[in-house]
């Protein structure tokens, strides 16, 4: 009798999962692939889940863990993250814990005790802990339902983060026969993926690979001219937001930290030259919103899980495109728009080249190739996502991503650019459409470069006729030509070709309009790239007050603010002005437990604000959608329907049980299902089935009041295991009936 959620047991698996998503986590719907993965895990099929950072991997094992009877073990190499992860789950009212060296002997012992008494739904462990004899023996004696292996790429020597202990996990998996194995990683390379499957014995596992496109990241590459000034300009647009700035060296980190602080920004440094204590302190200050900006070498990032990092700046060139992707990936895990700025200079690229030249053989060749890929990304005259995702083997073919410098390089004011366009096109025509952008540009600007002279292109009538524009301005012309389908780029030879449109323009039959001036460095976002939440015109003043409240509460409880509520939640509160517990539960990210724990504090701020400003609550248009969605019509010949009808006719639970020859608990389950499907039953005769006395019933009801009635385990624990799950389920049914009427 361990399962806290058996009342859900009659629903199809994925409906149970949706129920937990809505009621416990307060989320509206699954993200791409989450549903498939969870369904697979619930059916105990070994699974490999490959999703980018922020893709929502955690829910893929957290939700099944709440549905399974037994324990879910989460293997993770990141000891520093375990506490935050467990704190986060605890805030959702979930029973989770971890074992690692940071616990005191007493804490360690008390966790072991909880494991023995089957009190946990989730247990986080580092692989070396799981491999310890005593732990392994303890766990082998329990019902382990799922073994989730986070950061599964650590098992592969090809990955960037190989950990030998991971190799031994394959022996362990055999010891838990009932456990479904779920490997999770954000590493996209096929070689590593294969290695994971082989090493974990997941040959037959289903593999799910999500798109690596992080839609909410705005990608911008800008030529570095005055790095400090450019950084400051950028930061002024992100006042008060959290962000990371990556630099090449420790010295630069220290210098930039100083400069930013001198300019009034709240900044801390992070690099391997600092003592461990200082590094931990700085990292914590960042996670807890006490410092806005971290200036770091690449040493920073692995151990942080902060969902609301709003920007990542590459003050200097990253090592390669993979680390660039990983580093920008730390922004915007919560799905809100985040800004990534890359200040690029050829001088920086040469620095990397210098290190490459010191290498030899294969290593040198690989490093060379990495740099080349990075340069292709930087120099690309097309949507940034094409090259970036292309590196991971993903084909990106959206017309306009709306979230990169190339795709948004237009201001509202367009000018007539027919003449420069004609110059460009006729140069293409005169060179038989056999050349690429740079060569055409060299001709237009009258360059003396070798290739220009070699082909006698200095003799062309268009040689040197484009000097009225700078290179960046010509780049804009080119962007317009590509965007307006006037020219296309042939993939194989990289030469530019004229389209029929171009012919019309060359003949003077058609004018062209576009933007020549350098694009303003500002994220201008296509509205379709915004999430629903971001499109809300929310009240900034209230948002600031709610953030302050969150900060106070987080300080008091020594937890990071995002554990209480994410920004998305505060944004919705600042738009809908919920005034009651009911409407609060409709807000994104507010599950039952959090509403109970933190709801009143936030409601008070909202109510005071609304009273003072004379504002009314707005109803969320999809109000009740969460509950509606999971309602499923019961067919008339289904057991729950028949049992519901019998109860409506006045038969008691015990009478029905003996009539249809099932246990009373099963009747209660059927009734729950009946009610959840939207039918009503009289509440008068329910409680007697619990055989509890009035005072006990009161106690149970109080516990439901405090913890919500979705998960029974917290109630069972609060009441010191004195009331059985069967009895709790009866009171739960009663509460539900009252709630639905
Ligand atoms: P990953 O482990 O893949 O990097 P996480 O599991 O940490 O990603 O999820 C990233 C963020 O997205 C978290 O803040 C999480 O609460 C949120 N999230 C995950 N799934 C959903 C969902 N279905 N709806 C709304 N938010 C979600
Ligand atoms: Zn784009």
């Amino acid at each position: 009798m361990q399962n806290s959620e058996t009342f859900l047991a009659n629903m199809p698996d994925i409906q149970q999962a949706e129920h937990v998503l809505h009621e416990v986590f307060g989320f509206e719907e699954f993200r791409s692939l989450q549903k498939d993965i969870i369904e697979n895990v619930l059916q105990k099929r070994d699974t490999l889940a490959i999703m980018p950072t922020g893709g929502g991997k955690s829910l893929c094992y957290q939700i099944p863990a709440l549905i399974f009877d037994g324990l879910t073990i989460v293997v993770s190499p990141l000891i520093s993250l375990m506490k935050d992860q467990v704190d986060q789950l605890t805030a959702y009212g979930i029973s989770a814990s971890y074992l690692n060296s940071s616990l005191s002997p007493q804490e360690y012992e008390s966790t072991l005790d909880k494991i023995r008494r089957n009190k946990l739904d989730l247990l986080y462990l580092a692989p070396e802990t799981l491999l310890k004899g005593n732990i392994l023996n303890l766990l082998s004696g329990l019902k382990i339902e799922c073994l989730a292996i986070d950061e599964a790429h650590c098992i592969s020597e090809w990955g960037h983060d190989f950990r030998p202990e991971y190799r031994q996990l394959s022996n362990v998996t055999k010891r838990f026969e009932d456990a479904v194995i779920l490997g999770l990683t954000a590493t996209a390379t096929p070689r590593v993926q294969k290695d994971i499957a082989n090493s974990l014995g997941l040959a037959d596992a289903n593999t799910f690979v999500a798109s690596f496109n992080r839609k909410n990241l705005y990608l911008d590459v800008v030529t570095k001219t005055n790095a400090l000034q450019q950084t400051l300009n950028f930061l002024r647009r992100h006042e008060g937001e959290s962000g990371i700035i990556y630099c090449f060296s420790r010295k630069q980190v220290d210098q930039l930290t100083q400069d930013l602080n001198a300019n009034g920004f709240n900044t801390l440094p992070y690099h391997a030259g600092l003592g461990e204590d200082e590094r931990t302190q700085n990292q914590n200050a960042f996670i807890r919103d006490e410092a806005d900006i971290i200036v770091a070498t690449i040493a920073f990032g692995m151990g942080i899980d902060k969902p609301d990092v709003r920007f990542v700046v590459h003050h200097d060139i990253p090592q390669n495109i993979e680390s660039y992707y990983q580093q920008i990936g730390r922004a915007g895990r919560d799905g809100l728009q985040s800004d990534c700025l890359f200040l690029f200079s050829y001088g920086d690229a040469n620095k990397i080249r210098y290190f490459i030249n010191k290498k030899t053989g294969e290593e040198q060749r690989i490093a060379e190739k990495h740099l080349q890929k990075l340069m292709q990304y930087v120099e690309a005259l097309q949507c940034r996502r094409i090259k970036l995702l292309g590196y991971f083997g993903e084909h990106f073919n959206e017309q306009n991503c709306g979230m990169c410098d190339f795709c948004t390089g237009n201001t509202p004011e367009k000018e007539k650019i027919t003449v420069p366009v004609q110059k460009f096109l006729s140069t293409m025509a005169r060179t038989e459409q056999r050349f690429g952008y740079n060569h055409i540009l060299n001709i237009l600007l009258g360059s003396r470069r070798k290739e220009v002279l070699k082909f006698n292109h200095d003799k062309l009538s268009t040689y040197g006729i484009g000097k009225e524009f700078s290179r960046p301005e010509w780049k804009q012309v080119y962007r317009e030509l590509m965007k307006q389908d006037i020219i296309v780029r042939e993939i194989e030879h990289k030469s530019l070709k004229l389209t029929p449109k171009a012919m019309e323009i060359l003949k003077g039959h058609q004018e062209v309009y576009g933007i020549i001036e350098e694009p303003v460095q500002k994220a201008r976002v296509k509205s379709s790239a915004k999430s629903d939440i971001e499109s809300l015109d929310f009240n900034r003043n209230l948002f600031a007050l709610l953030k302050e409240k969150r900060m106070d509460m987080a300080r008091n409880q020594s937890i990071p603010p995002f554990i209480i509520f994410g920004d998305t939640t505060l944004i919705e509160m600042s738009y809908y002005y919920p005034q009651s517990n009911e409407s609060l539960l409709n807000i994104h990210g507010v599950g039952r437990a959090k509403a109970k724990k933190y709801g009143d504090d936030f409601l008070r701020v909202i109510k005071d604000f609304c009273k003072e400003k004379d504002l009314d609550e707005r109803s969320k248009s999809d109000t009740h959608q969460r509950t509606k969605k999971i309602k499923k019509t019961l067919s008339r010949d289904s057991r729950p329907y028949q049992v519901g009808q019998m109860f409506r006719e006045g038969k008691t639970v015990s009478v029905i049980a003996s009539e249809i020859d099932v246990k009373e608990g099963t009747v209660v389950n059927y009734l729950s299902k009946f009610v959840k499907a939207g039918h009503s039953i009289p509440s008068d005769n329910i409680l007697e089935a619990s055989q509890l006395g009035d005072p006990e019933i009161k106690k149970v009801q109080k516990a439901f009041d405090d913890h919500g009635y979705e998960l029974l385990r917290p109630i069972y624990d609060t009441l010191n295991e004195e009331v059985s799950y069967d009895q709790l389920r009866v009171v739960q049914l009663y509460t539900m009936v009252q709630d639905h009427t």
Side-chain angles (χ1 to χ4, degrees):
M1 191 36 90
Q2 324 86 333
N3 184 7
S4 51
E5 288 84 34
T6 321
F7 81 97
L8 294 162
N10 293 330
M11 289 192 203
D13 287 341
I14 200 62
Q15 263 184 284
Q16 295 180 46
E18 274 170 357
H19 186 81
V20 173
L21 180 77
H22 305 140
E23 300 299 325
V24 177
F25 292 94
F27 297 152
E28 286 79 5
E29 54 192 4
F30 282 118
R31 293 214 187 123
S32 148
L33 292 193
Q34 277 179 333
K35 196 168 170 174
D36 298 337
I37 295 169
I38 290 172
E39 202 160 23
N40 220 45
V41 171
L42 288 174
Q43 297 184 5
K44 292 274 174 112
R45 286 197 289 256
D46 289 347
T47 305
L48 193 54
I50 296 155
M51 282 182 168
T53 308
K57 289 185 283 298
S58 326
L59 282 190
C60 297
Y61 54 82
Q62 287 166 351
I63 288 187
L66 295 179
I67 294 173
F68 286 140
D69 276 356
L71 181 66
T72 290
I73 297 175
V74 186
V75 177
S76 160
L78 302 169
I79 292 180
S80 59
L81 279 185
M82 290 181 187
K83 185 174 181 303
D84 275 359
Q85 281 164 333
V86 166
D87 283 348
Q88 225 159 339
L89 291 171
T90 309
Y92 282 117
I94 295 166
S95 162
S97 202
Y98 60 95
L99 285 176
N100 66 31
S101 51
S102 74
L103 293 177
S104 70
Q106 291 84 346
E107 290 168 325
Y108 201 92
E109 204 36 59
S110 115
T111 305
L112 286 181
D113 188 52
K114 279 192 206 153
I115 300 170
R116 278 188 211 109
R117 294 197 292 134
N118 195 12
K119 291 271 181 194
L120 296 178
D121 284 325
L122 288 121
L123 175 67
Y124 286 76
L125 296 173
E128 57 273 21
T129 313
L130 178 58
L131 293 164
K132 278 188 192 158
N134 62 331
I135 300 291
L136 207 49
N137 284 338
L138 168 61
L139 294 172
S140 300
L142 299 173
K143 186 171 184 189
I144 309 298
E145 303 256 20
C146 175
L147 194 60
I149 302 184
D150 207 3
E151 313 287 344
H153 57 273
C154 293
I155 206 164
S156 169
E157 292 177 65
W158 300 114
H160 48 82
D161 195 25
F162 174 56
R163 314 235 172 169
E165 314 82 58
Y166 260 71
R167 278 276 174 209
Q168 297 170 42
L169 285 175
S170 56
N171 304 325
V172 174
T173 57
K174 296 188 197 101
R175 299 210 28 185
F176 303 115
E177 276 184 351
D178 289 339
V180 56
I181 315 288
L182 169 62
L184 307 119
T185 178
T187 302
T189 44
R191 193 188 207 177
V192 176
Q193 288 168 19
K194 236 195 220 141
D195 212 14
I196 296 172
N198 289 339
S199 317
L200 285 176
L202 298 181
D204 303 326
N206 294 312
T207 302
F208 295 89
V209 186
S211 163
F212 273 65
N213 183 19
R214 299 281 312 278
K215 286 188 183 149
N216 60 321
L217 301 187
Y218 182 85
L219 307 178
D220 194 8
V221 183
V222 169
T223 306
K224 184 147 107 180
T225 48
N226 178 342
L228 178 61
Q229 200 50 50
Q230 287 172 300
T231 307
L232 288 172
N233 290 346
F234 177 87
L235 293 179
R236 291 205 175 100
R237 300 207 316 267
H238 291 279
E239 204 79 53
E241 297 179 352
S242 292
I244 308 171
I245 303 179
Y246 286 105
C247 293
F248 206 68
S249 67
R250 298 174 190 182
K251 218 175 93 195
Q252 274 167 308
V253 168
D254 291 333
Q255 183 62 50
L256 185 61
T257 305
Q258 248 178 38
D259 290 342
L260 296 185
N261 283 333
N263 278 280
F265 290 97
N266 183 359
T267 316
L268 287 173
Y270 190 100
H271 57 67
L274 301 174
E276 197 177 323
D277 282 352
E278 191 174 355
R279 265 186 301 170
T280 311
Q281 251 173 39
N282 291 358
Q283 174 167 316
N284 283 340
F286 179 64
I287 291 171
R288 295 179 177 204
D289 291 348
E290 285 152 18
D292 291 334
I293 303 166
I294 285 277
V295 181
T297 54
I298 49 167
F300 184 75
M302 251 315 253
I304 67 157
D305 218 352
K306 190 170 163 55
D308 51 4
V309 174
R310 286 279 77 84
F311 61 85
V312 168
V313 176
H314 282 90
H315 182 271
D316 303 308
I317 196 167
Q319 274 176 318
N320 54 49
I321 202 158
E322 205 170 335
S323 30
Y324 170 74
Y325 179 80
Q326 235 181 48
Q327 286 156 3
I328 59 171
R330 292 182 182 131
R333 279 177 183 240
D334 55 9
L336 296 181
Q337 199 213 316
S338 306
D339 234 350
C340 306
L341 174 69
F342 178 174
L343 297 175
F344 172 77
S345 80
Y346 284 93
D348 282 355
N350 285 336
K351 264 190 223 164
I352 294 216
R353 194 156 278 129
Y354 171 80
F355 287 110
I356 292 177
N357 288 338
K358 286 186 166 176
K359 296 181 198 258
T360 51
E362 175 72 357
E363 212 189 334
Q364 187 180 47
R365 207 184 53 80
I366 293 175
E368 191 79 57
K369 210 172 119 197
H370 279 314
L371 179 61
Q372 211 180 1
K373 292 273 178 207
L374 189 64
M375 295 305 289
Q376 283 172 6
Y377 172 75
V378 166
E379 290 172 343
L381 293 166
Q382 59 187 167
C383 171
R384 299 276 170 210
R385 284 179 160 74
I386 295 174
K387 277 277 182 303
L388 190 59
L389 295 170
Y391 179 79
F392 297 109
E394 195 173 323
H395 184 63
F396 185 79
N397 57 3
E398 256 177 55
Q399 277 288 325
N400 183 322
C401 82
M403 284 292 279
C404 79
D405 49 355
F406 186 85
C407 292
T408 57
N410 53 342
T411 53
E413 290 285 314
K414 288 193 174 187
E415 50 186 310
K416 200 192 275 184
I417 54 170
T418 315
V419 173
V421 163
Q422 282 170 335
K423 288 180 181 174
F424 195 100
L425 298 180
S426 79
T427 308
M428 279 174 62
R430 277 161 218 272
T431 54
E432 290 154 353
Q433 306 180 48
R434 283 172 50 217
F435 294 86
Y437 167 75
N438 282 316
H439 190 79
I440 303 291
L441 202 60
N442 287 335
I443 297 171
L444 286 168
L445 293 175
S447 155
R448 307 289 305 160
R449 275 183 214 193
K450 254 203 328 262
E451 308 88 87
V452 176
L453 304 180
K454 186 170 95 190
F455 290 105
N456 280 329
H457 287 164
D458 52 334
K459 306 287 181 322
L460 292 177
S461 59
T462 56
Y463 180 77
I465 62 165
K467 288 184 183 158
E468 77 269 32
F469 285 154
S470 66
R471 275 185 185 263
E473 284 168 334
W474 274 113
K475 192 165 155 186
Q476 283 301 112
V477 174
Y478 172 75
R479 284 177 172 166
E480 291 294 345
L481 292 173
M482 293 289 278
K483 249 195 330 215
Q484 300 184 30
D485 290 327
I486 297 166
I487 61 174
V488 289
R489 187 158 172 268
E490 199 209 45
I491 306 290
E492 201 181 332
H493 300 103
K494 304 197 164 113
S495 55
L496 302 177
K497 305 282 178 213
L498 302 167
T499 69
K501 251 187 179 174
M503 297 306 165
E504 291 302 294
I505 295 162
L506 277 173
K507 285 182 207 152
H509 293 168
Q510 204 180 319
E511 302 281 7
V512 189
Y513 293 84
I515 296 101
I516 297 295
E517 69 185 281
E518 271 236 65
V520 197
Q521 275 180 40
K522 189 165 183 294
R524 261 172 272 102
V525 182
K526 200 170 73 168
S527 59
S528 64
K530 280 191 181 180
S531 64
D532 292 349
I533 289 175
E534 284 170 299
S535 320
L536 298 179
D537 185 15
F538 63 95
N539 189 312
R540 314 264 154 184
N541 296 331
L542 177 56
F543 182 67
L545 288 175
L546 293 173
K547 262 176 101 166
E548 225 170 88
K549 182 82 215 164
R550 176 176 70 176
M551 189 71 175
D552 281 353
M553 293 166 74
R555 282 229 168 108
N556 286 336
Q557 300 174 42
S558 341
I559 50 174
F562 65 77
I563 286 187
I564 295 178
F565 285 128
D567 284 357
T568 38
T569 304
L570 302 193
I571 287 177
E572 281 210 358
M573 287 180 181
S574 318
Y575 179 79
Y576 292 110
Y577 311 126
Q579 315 257 332
S580 68
N581 203 42
E582 264 311 288
S583 20
L584 196 63
L585 281 168
N586 279 316
I587 298 292
H588 177 93
V590 185
R592 299 264 170 200
K594 283 198 181 182
K596 202 85 226 171
K597 231 178 275 183
Y598 309 124
D600 284 347
D601 288 290
F602 285 88
L603 281 178
R604 205 168 310 125
V605 175
I606 299 168
K607 279 185 189 160
D608 288 350
F609 183 84
C610 289
K611 203 165 159 200
E612 195 190 311
K613 307 272 185 239
D614 200 16
L615 294 165
D616 288 329
E617 175 171 335
R618 280 196 175 108
S619 78
K620 208 175 159 182
S621 62
D622 63 351
T623 307
H624 302 307
Q625 194 180 353
R626 282 197 215 158
T627 24
K628 249 192 233 150
K629 247 194 222 158
I630 57 157
K631 278 184 191 159
K632 188 173 172 252
T633 356
L634 293 170
S635 83
R636 281 169 185 269
D637 43 1
S638 69
R639 266 287 163 89
Y641 190 86
Q642 291 167 349
V643 167
Q645 293 305 336
M646 290 164 90
F647 194 82
R648 278 180 169 178
E649 285 161 16
K651 291 182 182 163
T652 63
V653 170
S654 74
V655 168
I656 300 174
S658 62
E659 266 187 32
I660 62 169
D661 200 20
V662 297
K663 288 190 193 147
E664 291 194 13
T666 309
V667 173
V668 174
N669 275 346
Y670 286 144
L671 289 175
S672 295
K673 201 169 177 195
F674 188 66
V675 172
K676 277 182 181 291
H679 303 286
S680 60
I681 54 171
S683 58
D684 325 341
N685 299 329
I686 298 176
L687 284 173
E688 65 182 48
S690 72
Q691 298 178 344
L692 292 169
D694 267 352
E696 283 163 303
I697 290 178
K698 289 249 155 56
K699 256 199 249 168
V700 178
Q701 284 175 324
K702 162 116 190 13
F704 277 134
D705 258 3
D706 291 345
H707 299 273
Y709 61 79
E710 295 306 320
L711 298 178
L712 291 185
R713 196 190 296 270
I715 312 293
Y716 186 66
D717 289 347
T718 306
L719 301 173
N720 301 318
E721 308 174 14
E722 282 160 14
V723 182
S724 76
Y725 278 109
D726 271 344
Q727 293 173 319
L728 289 179
R729 235 164 263 132
V730 175
V731 187
Q732 184 186 43
L733 173 63
Y734 177 81
T735 316
M736 206 154 59
V737 171
Q738 301 268 305
D739 212 43
H740 283 210
T741 47

